[in-house]
Amino acid sequence: SASCGDGRKRRVCYYYDPGIANVDYGADHNMVPRRVAMAHALVEKYGLLADMERLRVRPATEAELRAFHDDAYVRLLRDITPDAYHDGDLRDRARACRVGVPDPNEPEAGGAGAYIYDNPVIDGLWDYCLRYAGGSLAAARALVDGSSDIAINWSGGMHHACRGKASGFCYVNDIVLAIQELLKHFERVLYVDIDVHHGDGVEAHFKRESRVMTVSFHLYDIDRRGDKFFPGTGKAEDVGEGDGKYYTLNVPMKAGMDDERYQQLFRPIMDEVMEKFAPDAVVLQCGADSLYGDRLGEFRLSVKGHAGCVSYLRSFNVPLLLLGGGGYTVNHVASCWCYETAVAVGKEKEISDEIPFHGYEHYYKDQGYKLHFTVPKKNGNKKDDLIDKIKQDALMNLAMLKP
Ligand code: VJV
Ligand code: CA
Ligand code: ZN
């Protein structure tokens, strides 16, 4: 179609489950699943659903979660409820798995116990996990069976979850599950992570695997108090181990990354990865906390800058799985994932910058009711040696990959 950047239409499928949007991590928690309902309402009002097949799928099963997670952790996620937590046995098991109910009377801020604020025991937790994992599995299967070129699940992308414990707002690692599904059919799978946080859970699982290459772009920094930006991993020197050596690539960045500098890294690095690794499928975690103005992130990407990563990877014509992830300024997140849905179907030039009436329009007051919020220009040193250094480090690691 004429609307496609490179002239070729893609068959796109899309997963959205309104049950997920009602999940509540608790008052003041940064993670707000409603952002996915907001993105969906925009997608619908812009008429993009007509260009996609809607995946209506069953939730994942317990057995499907066990393809990655250990039995005791899966059982805990199944059994735990806010009420059951107060039973001593379940509480100890929950805490061992880093999920919990924050107790304001316990002075544990800063200690290991503080992690439970990140992963609270919430109403409907088990159902939530099964649904977002089910969406990513179904999306992966739509690529495996060849029915779609691009598959989307904005409620997935929970890259920190580990085999036996929750981490960083993530309970079940739908990305690992989806990649395992893709590996049943595709020889090589590339994972790219543009969330502002390091994709540690996915990297850890595949760091010894040469059929999966993981690439994470993230903020890597130590603040004034000496704390590392979460999760504190993802140095350029971490390149994988054993058979998987050099099949892990980390691109650590400083705060303040803007569109221009981000693309100065993303494009040449991804060109080299696509040529050297030649993946049969690509999974892109589109965490929107790398956008300007995020409540947790400290990058300065615009929606177009962020979506530039989607359109760039799309242009290689390899089956593409698009997942969500972080994103804590909900109006920015919804703008971004709606626009990226338009990029997937090749209609980004056709959708208006005026936010349509869709029930959430009041969230967009601060951005003048426009889809594209503005990123204020920052005056400062344009020429940046640091970017060159980061790029060189990445390209040196890639040079070690067998072609
Ligand atoms: O930095 C951390 C861990 C602590 C313990 C918990 N306290 C609250 C903060 C320090 C060491 N966790 C990070 C987790 C970030 C997860 C990002 C997830 C993703 O985007 O990559 C993918 C979905 C962190 N940063 C900020 C917070 N936690 C935070 C959590 C809260 C909160 C305020 C800040 C949880 C509840 C409430 N406020 C009420
Ligand atoms: Ca990342
Ligand atoms: Zn994040």
Side-chain angles (χ1 to χ4, degrees):
S1 101
S3 60
C4 283
D6 59 4
R8 187 174 161 268
K9 262 276 177 211
R10 306 299 195 287
R11 292 164 304 160
V12 182
C13 69
Y14 171 85
Y15 174 79
Y16 169 70
D17 182 340
I20 289 173
N22 295 321
V23 171
D24 184 358
Y25 276 68
D28 303 321
H29 200 289
N30 290 290
M31 180 56 96
V32 178
R34 192 193 306 107
R35 68 210 171 119
V36 179
M38 293 169 61
H40 177 76
L42 282 175
V43 163
E44 186 172 23
K45 268 288 154 97
Y46 277 116
L48 297 169
L49 290 179
D51 297 294
M52 302 186 286
E53 185 207 326
R54 177 90 178 262
L55 286 172
R56 299 205 185 259
V57 298
R58 56 166 180 77
T61 63
E62 213 178 306
E64 284 171 329
L65 298 194
R66 278 198 244 105
F68 171 54
H69 294 286
D70 71 35
D71 285 9
Y73 182 49
V74 171
R75 263 184 279 124
L76 187 270
L77 289 175
R78 186 194 62 199
D79 298 342
I80 197 75
T81 61
D83 281 341
Y85 181 84
H86 299 289
D87 160 55
D89 177 50
L90 272 181
R91 182 172 59 237
D92 292 345
R93 282 170 53 204
R95 292 230 168 184
C97 298
R98 297 282 173 120
V99 296
V101 176
D103 179 351
N105 300 318
E106 269 183 71
E108 59 190 346
Y115 280 92
I116 66 170
Y117 288 93
D118 281 351
N119 291 85
V121 175
I122 51 185
D123 283 320
L125 177 60
W126 179 235
D127 189 63
Y128 169 55
C129 292
L130 294 180
R131 283 174 195 270
Y132 78 73
S136 296
L137 282 169
R141 285 175 189 137
L143 300 178
V144 163
D145 71 22
S147 60
S148 296
D149 304 308
I150 303 179
I152 301 175
N153 175 19
W154 296 130
S155 59
M158 307 309 269
H159 58 179
H160 300 304
C162 301
R163 204 173 103 82
K165 71 174 176 70
S167 173
F169 317 161
C170 308
Y171 300 88
V172 162
N173 198 316
D174 62 296
I175 307 173
V176 170
L177 294 172
I179 292 174
Q180 285 177 335
E181 198 63 29
L182 293 170
L183 286 172
K184 292 179 185 171
H185 179 78
F186 297 110
E187 184 54 32
R188 282 182 304 281
V189 177
L190 171 65
Y191 173 67
V192 184
D193 186 315
I194 60 171
D195 189 288
V196 75
H197 298 96
H198 176 228
D200 58 350
V202 183
E203 177 183 303
H205 186 62
F206 294 114
K207 69 182 175 192
R208 297 177 166 278
E209 176 59 74
S210 60
R211 287 178 63 202
V212 178
M213 178 157 189
T214 65
V215 182
S216 178
F217 296 82
H218 47 266
L219 173 59
Y220 185 85
D221 208 0
I222 300 164
D223 69 19
R224 284 170 289 276
R225 296 173 47 219
D227 296 332
K228 284 182 171 172
F229 186 72
F230 187 85
T233 48
K235 298 193 298 283
E237 297 78 47
D238 298 338
V239 294
E241 294 169 14
D243 288 346
K245 194 165 183 193
Y246 302 117
Y247 292 90
T248 292
L249 183 68
N250 282 300
V251 187
M253 303 164 170
K254 294 278 174 257
M257 288 294 294
D258 59 16
D259 291 351
E260 192 188 325
R261 290 185 298 160
Y262 200 92
Q263 292 306 328
Q264 272 173 28
L265 292 170
F266 189 83
R267 291 177 181 231
I269 290 171
M270 291 321 302
D271 275 344
E272 199 64 17
V273 168
M274 293 304 286
E275 187 176 318
K276 279 270 175 75
F277 184 62
D280 304 300
V282 178
V283 178
L284 176 58
Q285 196 269 20
C286 300
D289 47 9
S290 41
L291 293 171
Y292 171 75
D294 190 78
R295 287 174 65 193
L296 292 188
E298 296 168 47
F299 284 177
R300 302 174 60 84
L301 298 186
S302 71
V303 164
K304 281 180 181 157
H306 195 273
C309 300
V310 178
S311 56
Y312 202 65
L313 290 179
R314 180 185 185 271
S315 73
F316 288 93
N317 285 320
V318 174
L320 179 61
L321 176 54
L322 298 178
L323 301 173
Y328 306 102
T329 299
V330 292
N331 46 314
H332 290 184
V333 179
S335 284
C336 183
W337 290 345
C338 170
Y339 186 73
E340 288 174 345
T341 305
V343 167
V345 301
K347 290 214 168 147
E348 71 270 28
K349 299 216 171 62
E350 287 162 44
I351 62 169
S352 161
D353 194 26
E354 303 299 324
I355 291 282
F357 290 104
H358 65 300
Y360 295 105
E361 56 285 339
H362 54 285
Y363 281 86
Y364 298 83
K365 185 169 190 288
D366 289 348
Q367 56 191 81
Y369 303 102
K370 304 286 188 215
L371 188 65
H372 295 279
F373 56 82
T374 51
V375 180
K377 287 271 173 299
K378 237 187 143 189
N379 37 14
N381 45 324
K382 261 267 119 190
K383 173 80 192 112
D384 204 331
D385 299 334
L386 220 67
I387 296 296
D388 295 335
K389 163 85 171 99
I390 297 168
K391 184 169 145 185
Q392 270 170 27
D393 283 349
L395 294 178
M396 292 238 288
N397 287 329
L398 286 168
M400 304 299 288
L401 260 190
K402 304 177 256 312

